[in-house]
Amino acid sequence: TEQDVSLDGILVIDYDGTIILYNRRFREMWGVPEYVLEHRSDEMLLEYVVERVADPVPFRAKIHYLYEHPEDKSHEEITLKDGRVLDRYSVSMISADGTNFGRVWYFRDITERRKIEDEVRTLKNYLANIIDSTPSVLVGIDPEMNVTILNRLAEKMINLTSDEALGKPLGH
């Protein structure tokens, strides 16, 4: 099915607490045993899932809030006990006659993206420290003559902060 080729975990629950649909990625992502899904019980599934979340109290509170406020959309990041980070998005299912009859949950594993973002942030901080500790005035410009790098000595010399100078033409 289309849902089974998705990179996202997909779960659909009606407001009677019955699991209507889930895809293979959802089951793999959460490690849900088949017996839990066979019961089609949202409550049983929620208990299983909550045990895998690093901070279960706000997670459970958010789930309950969304069932009490079916019109609300929701997006958040969830950290699991095993260290993975999931992006979670949820939206109501509304029938053609406008009746709200359930909720769709989408989960995407963003663990690798978070690791790369953290590495880039660390590298940027490292490079910024090298640039700022250089004992010379350091100004970088792009081909359009806009300031791209400015160390502390250069800031003092031109009496502008990096925030004020970066992206602006040199000499303005």
Side-chain angles (χ1 to χ4, degrees), residues 67-78:
Y67 281 115
E68 292 168 6
H69 299 87
E71 69 285 350
D72 285 4
K73 295 177 184 174
S74 176
H75 174 255
E76 66 183 336
E77 285 184 11
I78 303 165

Side-chain angles (χ1 to χ4, degrees), residues 40-162:
R40 298 283 187 198
S41 166
D42 179 35
E43 190 173 314
M44 186 176 187
L45 177 60
L46 179 59
E47 291 309 311
Y48 182 86
V49 166
V50 165
E51 290 299 315
R52 273 119 197 97
V53 175
D55 199 359
V57 174
F59 177 79
R60 186 187 298 272
K62 184 68 172 189
I63 302 300
H64 289 299
Y65 172 86
L66 290 170
Y67 281 115
E68 292 168 6
H69 299 87
E71 69 285 350
D72 285 4
K73 295 177 184 174
S74 176
H75 174 255
E76 66 183 336
E77 285 184 11
I78 303 165
T79 302
L80 303 184
K81 288 179 180 175
D82 65 10
R84 288 180 297 138
V85 180
L86 304 180
D87 204 23
R88 193 231 359 110
Y89 180 73
S90 178
V91 64
S92 295
M93 288 188 310
I94 300 175
S95 66
D97 68 359
T99 305
N100 189 329
F101 64 93
R103 186 163 282 280
V104 180
W105 303 87
Y106 301 95
F107 300 89
R108 178 170 290 169
D109 190 331
I110 60 169
T111 307
E112 288 305 310
R113 185 175 87 199
R114 282 291 168 257
K115 284 180 185 176
I116 291 168
E117 288 170 350
D118 288 345
E119 289 171 7
V120 167
R121 194 171 13 264
T122 299
L123 184 57
K124 280 182 173 181
N125 289 336
Y126 177 72
L127 292 174
N129 286 334
I130 290 172
I131 290 167
D132 278 340
S133 64
T134 302
S136 303
V137 171
L138 182 62
V139 178
I141 56 171
D142 65 16
E144 288 80 37
M145 298 300 289
N146 295 316
V147 177
T148 58
I149 297 171
L150 193 69
N151 71 352
R152 286 189 185 122
L153 286 176
E155 286 179 346
K156 288 177 185 175
M157 184 175 157
I158 64 172
N159 201 26
L160 288 175
T161 66
S162 290

